[in-house]
Amino acid sequence: LAGVYVPADIYVRYLRMKGEDVLLIGGSDEHGVPITLKAKNEGVTPQDIVDRYHGIIKKSFEDFGISFDIYSRTTNKTHYDTASEFFKTLYEKGEFIEKESDQYYDEEANQFLADRYITGTCPSCGSEGAYGDQCESCGSSLNATDLINPVSMISGSVPVIKKTKHWYLPLDKHEPFLRKWILEDHKEWKANVYGQCKSWIDQGLQPRAVSRDLDWGVPVPVEGADGKVLYVWFDAPIGYISATKELTPEWEKYWKDKDTRMLHFIGKDNIVFHCIVFPSMLKAEGTYNLPENVPANEFLNLEGDKISTSRNWAVWLHEYLEEFKDQQDVLRYTLAANAPETKDNDFTWKDFQARNNNELVAILGNFVNRAIVLTHKYYNGKTPEMGTAVEEFDKNSLAEIDVIVKKVETSLDSFRFREAIKEMMNLARLGNKYLADTEPWKLIKTDEERVKTIMYISLQITANLSVLMEPFLPFSAIKLQTMLNLSGLKWTDLGKTDLLTPGHIINKPELLFAKIEDETIQVQLDKLEATKSANIVAAKTAAPAKENISFDDFTKMDIRIGTILEAEKVAKTKKLLKLTVDTGIDKRTVVSGIAEFFNPDEIIGKQVSILVNLAPRKIRGIESQGMILMGEDANGDLVFIQPSKQVKAGSEVR
RNA sequence: GGCGAGGUAGCUCAGCUGGUUAGAGCGCAUGAUUCAUAAUCAUGAGGUCGGCGGUUCAAGCCCGCCUCUCGCUACCA
């Protein structure tokens, strides 16, 4: 929400209020591989899975006030048609590279087999149980087609070799264009976006496969492509187009008109797809506009830890909407004010509370309340005349409205939402200061004419505020406008000093924002604490035992106590240490992925358990002759399996 | 390991092509005030700008090395 939907919604509401013809398009990307895995796990179809979530997500967005013109999904027919057509166009234009290769096919399961799903005898060492991509015994890298006696791991049948064709989008071909378009013509893009694009382009782009041998996705729409679907990253961005089509017959205007500006609001993990891949697709197709900007944001953490839906480390929108009824704007405000625009940021409930109590309640809500309460007290809710006692200070204060509006516009136009929302709050600050400086509650006893002017101006500030806050706090803006008995105001009304005309009746004051008490926050913190505990418990639960093996199988393993003699980091790797171990039998080299947990110096001289008859395997060009046994705890921390007291190197472990 | 982004007051962040005493909001302290949801207004305290070295008359901004965080990437038990 923080990085993508809230900023996008603010921006779009702003443009709509300016009277621009704008659409906010979004949708669920439903062809991801995790979806098929989840379906398999639960024994249901992928469609069941996506049906379950799409509705919930869509409704949550709606209730939260993310004003999508359409929130669609990539499993609907329009999308299938659109994506197919898009592919066909590129295909016919010769924008793809076709590569044919031999691949095993399981005739029983009716599908092509990924290398990992094929097992057989290794052609180089003759051992059984080698996988299609490599032999675990000798470590050689294999082509699946080289395996002797291959067997499908899915059905157990003997697979047949079939030619399979895949299509690749030659990103390298578009490199000169991308270089100019991004690196020269879009220097104004955010540093994080520009930097990552530059990095990709400078490293040289490779052709990227756009098809896969899977059964979940949009079928590849050319002859001889049975059982092939569009790779998810290819079809997903086309979803933006499909959704627009679904929404309006005039969809082409939004995608192809020269004057249309397209923007992608995304998270930083999606930069490459939206800045390099999708634009290349659009360019290749030829008739579409390219994005004008991609204001990608960084990530928002939660109470110091990365948000993770699988670990339930998250604030679920549908739960928030229930537990904080009618307080969408509080979360919108907090998220916008903390948007991770330049670096990852942290959401904390304490900050949420503080933003509400110290800013929304104290500054904004309070000012509005003061103005309206006083109006009712002095004039029974009737807007007074401007009065004749207008001073320089009054004029300056009114003029200040325009200055603030301009600043908000500048900030929004350059996608600086934190700055924009802060400026918006400054209008409420202006109001508070105006009241404090003019003190109408004192003057009412001595100078009623002057008080009319003061209240008139205070009300105009309030009315302006109700418009200015609308993109950010739409629910509260409507509430305030209802209180003021106003409606249909536009962005161009901002700065006007007669939004409420003399005699205009305003309604009774209601509080815009309610204080949030410590207990309420504590409930949320407790909930997260419970999640944390649950995760720890879950992590403590040991994995289920593997299948039984015979004693013979066990005795095949030759495990010894060895002593580490030397240790050094393998260059250009993060995890690997190259160890020299005295096994008692010999001194041998072992490559071990423990560099993140041990300094080479610290472990020299340590006794460890080592599997000495594991087939050698080349890792990073170094032949590893054995495996150091490690214990791994739930956090992934590694510890050595060591003898409880010093024993002779070469002692057997049984 | 390579690449990208970031490391500025207690917290969240500004700081444009290097130039006088480094800014804002919140928090904190003091004072004023009472129309208002004990809200508001004023004033103030608080920073060796991640570390070291360099270029320059001048560096938070430029260069080098190091370090920490996040992301992308790599033949990653």
Side-chain angles (χ1 to χ4, degrees), chain A residues 439-457:
Chain A
E439 298 183 305
W441 49 90
K442 277 188 183 165
L443 286 177
I444 193 69
K445 295 163 197 157
T446 58
D447 189 351
E448 288 196 27
E449 192 57 24
R450 172 84 187 115
V451 171
K452 281 186 189 164
T453 305
I454 293 170
M455 288 318 300
Y456 179 85
I457 290 175

Side-chain angles (χ1 to χ4, degrees), chain A residues 117-353:
Chain A
Y117 289 137
I118 305 161
T119 179
T121 306
C122 173
S124 60
C125 72
S127 61
E128 284 173 35
Y131 294 111
D133 52 350
Q134 68 183 40
C135 169
E136 299 269 300
S137 304
C138 68
S140 23
S141 284
L142 303 175
N143 287 320
T145 44
D146 296 336
L147 281 179
I148 302 163
N149 300 326
V151 175
S152 163
M153 290 171 73
I154 290 177
S155 68
S157 67
V158 176
V160 298
I161 288 187
K162 263 197 177 181
K163 287 219 180 289
T164 179
K165 201 191 284 178
H166 281 290
W167 291 268
Y168 293 75
L169 183 67
L171 292 177
D172 45 331
K173 182 185 141 190
H174 300 289
E175 190 180 312
F177 156 72
L178 290 167
R179 188 175 289 278
K180 175 165 189 313
W181 177 61
I182 299 175
L183 302 186
E184 286 176 35
D185 300 345
H186 282 295
K187 290 187 195 291
E188 80 285 4
W189 285 8
K190 289 176 61 172
N192 56 344
V193 177
Y194 188 90
Q196 199 178 336
C197 291
K198 186 171 187 322
S199 166
W200 271 75
I201 293 171
D202 286 347
Q203 277 171 38
L205 298 168
Q206 303 297 323
R208 244 186 131 105
V210 301
S211 56
R212 294 252 108 182
D213 289 311
L214 286 174
D215 54 5
W216 180 239
V218 178
V220 173
V222 296
E223 202 139 321
D226 296 340
K228 293 182 199 306
V229 297
L230 301 183
Y231 208 176
V232 59
W233 62 256
F234 186 85
D235 95 77
I238 295 175
Y240 303 132
I241 302 172
S242 332
T244 318
K245 258 188 200 176
E246 206 183 324
L247 176 68
T248 167
E250 286 189 299
W251 67 274
E252 275 181 300
K253 173 175 82 173
Y254 295 96
W255 281 93
K256 301 184 175 181
D257 191 297
K258 279 193 303 297
D259 297 328
T260 300
R261 304 162 52 219
M262 174 165 65
L263 299 165
H264 292 304
F265 287 84
I266 55 165
K268 63 175 161 183
D269 51 339
N270 257 322
I271 290 173
V272 171
F273 290 114
H274 288 79
C275 296
I276 306 271
V277 179
F278 190 43
S280 296
M281 289 163 57
L282 294 173
K283 183 73 174 25
E285 203 277 349
T287 65
Y288 286 85
N289 290 333
L290 299 180
E292 181 190 84
N293 203 334
V294 184
N297 278 322
E298 303 281 305
F299 290 160
L300 188 72
N301 294 326
L302 172 59
E303 300 284 351
D305 282 326
K306 223 176 282 191
I307 287 178
S308 155
T309 50
S310 59
R311 282 178 21 243
N312 193 26
W313 193 253
V315 175
W316 297 96
L317 189 51
H318 63 275
E319 287 179 15
Y320 174 89
L321 291 168
E322 259 172 45
E323 291 164 37
F324 292 86
K325 272 241 177 323
D326 299 323
Q327 296 182 66
Q328 294 96 329
D329 284 347
V330 181
L331 187 55
R332 286 177 66 106
Y333 182 77
T334 308
L335 293 179
N338 283 331
E341 289 174 5
T342 52
K343 60 177 177 187
D344 289 0
N345 209 341
D346 202 22
F347 174 91
T348 65
W349 282 106
K350 209 175 125 262
D351 180 67
F352 169 83
Q353 181 189 26

